Amino acid sequence: MTSDNTTQKASNEEAKHAWVYLFNLGFYILPMVLFPYTISEIVLLSLAMLVFVGLYFYCFYLPYQRMLWPIIGMYVIACAVTPWNPGSVALFSYVGFFVGFAYRWPYALAVVLGLIGTLAVFQWHVGTHWDLFFHYGGVIVITVAIFGRIERLRQQHAAAERRSADEIERLATSVERERIARDLHDILGHTLSSIVLKSDLAKAQLGKQQYDAAAQQLQELSEIARHSLSQVRQSVSGYKHSGLVLELKRLEQRLHDAGFRTDILGKPPILDTPRETALVLAVTELVTNVIRHSSGQICTIHFDESADVYRVQITDDGSHAEVQSGNGLLGVKQRIQELGGSVEVSTARGCAVALQLPKLELTNTDGAAT
């Protein structure tokens, strides 16, 4: 949204209540009731007021940069009626309002001083029907011009708040889209790998006429598909899992089905939900990478901890010249780094990916730290 459009929006909103400020026209109408004007003079003064009010409302629908000519029009009308109706001080006050509203303060101050000079010219040179025309007019013009300036600042502040809110919403939407994309990649990556693996096993067993074993693989394939569908649905509102321990058992079964011997060493840490979710997705992605890319036969998942950090290392005994950081590994690094942790990859002996998460104090329900 451009600044002009933002100003336009603010002015349009204010125009809905612009009629409230017309009470000041009472100063203009009262002399028409009290003074002995002719019918033609009343008609002309009324027409001048209607044109003035039209310009007044028109100004509210314009951006700052386009208010000059309507303001000049209101000023000309105010000057034209002043010799007959000293209540024109009300018209000058509206001119002062829009000057304070539309222009930067140094320029607005100069124009307001010009309006005060105009009032002085009518008071002491042209002549009016009111001895206090300049005195009351000067106070009203200055006061209403200040109100105009305050209104400009209020609308600029409101526009800035809207822009800030829009930017926050845009960033939140972007972050959420990235989260969903990352979750879908991690969730579907390992799920589709399992489907391919189960399908290949079932096909091989059918070829050997091992129908019971093939039926078992197909049954597990159906369960994996249902579980995947549930995870995809959950990913739009935040990935939900069955806990690190249960997910490890599922990963162990996947590795076994893929022909890997699996060793899970150490004790899985007890984490808060966001960090446990990140760790589950990270370990799942790394196990999926082992199944897809490793030529080894053993996969080890080792949990360890020190006073400050939790450590998890996923190792396989395959031969790896170099590990390419694709979307999966980059997603793992991003998840762990967002939690203040780190990821290290080594291919010195097989492939080892080490995750580190800083420890956080957990709080019991009674408020005591653990």
Side-chain angles (χ1 to χ4, degrees), residues 93-106:
S93 71
Y94 290 116
V95 175
F97 174 87
F98 283 111
V99 168
F101 180 79
Y103 299 104
R104 297 183 182 276
W105 187 240

Side-chain angles (χ1 to χ4, degrees), residues 31-50:
M32 294 168 60
V33 176
L34 298 179
F35 293 177
Y37 290 109
T38 64
I39 297 298
S40 60
E41 289 174 331
I42 291 177
V43 170
L44 289 174
L45 290 174
S46 298
L47 288 174
M49 182 180 68
L50 291 176

Side-chain angles (χ1 to χ4, degrees), residues 322-335:
E322 184 179 357
V323 175
Q324 299 293 331
S325 294
N327 290 336
L329 187 55
L330 290 175
V332 169
K333 290 181 178 180
Q334 184 176 359
R335 289 181 189 280

Side-chain angles (χ1 to χ4, degrees), residues 55-97:
L55 292 172
Y56 164 84
F57 278 105
Y58 182 52
C59 270
F60 273 104
Y61 287 95
L62 292 175
Y64 303 144
Q65 298 86 344
R66 295 176 56 194
M67 288 185 179
L68 175 61
W69 288 109
I71 291 175
I72 291 176
M74 288 190 288
Y75 173 77
V76 170
I77 292 174
C79 290
V81 300
T82 296
W84 292 275
N85 186 350
S88 62
V89 292
L91 307 188
F92 283 108
S93 71
Y94 290 116
V95 175
F97 174 87

Side-chain angles (χ1 to χ4, degrees), residues 239-248 268-284 303 310 335-336 339 357 360:
Y239 173 65
K240 298 179 177 63
H241 52 81
S242 303
L244 180 57
V245 174
L246 183 56
E247 293 296 330
L248 285 171
I270 299 175
L271 302 170
D272 55 90
T273 300
R275 296 200 302 159
E276 184 179 37
T277 298
L279 186 58
V280 166
L281 290 171
V283 173
T284 299
F303 294 94
Y310 294 111
R335 289 181 189 280
I336 300 303
L339 298 174
L357 280 177
L360 297 177

Side-chain angles (χ1 to χ4, degrees), residues 279-297:
L279 186 58
V280 166
L281 290 171
V283 173
T284 299
E285 175 61 27
L286 294 175
V287 167
T288 299
N289 286 344
V290 170
I291 294 173
R292 285 178 177 174
H293 306 298
S294 176
S295 59
Q297 297 179 333

